[in-house]
Amino acid sequence: GPAPRRPSVPVPDGVPAKAADAGIRELHRVARGETLSSIARDYRTSPEALRSVNHLQGSVLQAGTVLAIPES
């Protein structure tokens, strides 16, 4: 059968409206214990790409933060 779809996350305030233009594939809500590296690995992208697209300064993530996932 079809692959189960992950629930889509509504685009929160703070994610630029032009995110779709920037090649954003989907959004990911950070769970407790996740790191930029683990999320990047899950989506087959790089921590640097995640940092760039989301305008992150460091690599510390807060649980509940919504990250834009770039096209790989």
Side-chain angles (χ1 to χ4, degrees):
R5 279 176 42 90
R6 280 203 282 206
S8 61
V9 179
V11 177
D13 294 339
V15 171
K18 63 178 182 291
D21 302 337
I24 302 306
R25 178 170 28 149
E26 62 185 297
L27 299 174
H28 174 83
R29 189 176 300 276
V30 178
R32 186 190 309 275
E34 285 186 313
T35 65
L36 212 53
S37 294
S38 69
I39 294 167
R41 193 165 49 245
D42 288 347
Y43 288 98
R44 293 179 171 76
T45 187
S46 69
E48 293 73 24
L50 289 176
R51 198 176 289 123
S52 171
V53 166
N54 291 282
H55 310 289
L56 300 174
Q57 299 304 318
S59 55
V60 177
L61 299 175
Q62 296 288 329
T65 300
V66 175
L67 296 179
I69 306 299
E71 297 284 0
S72 47

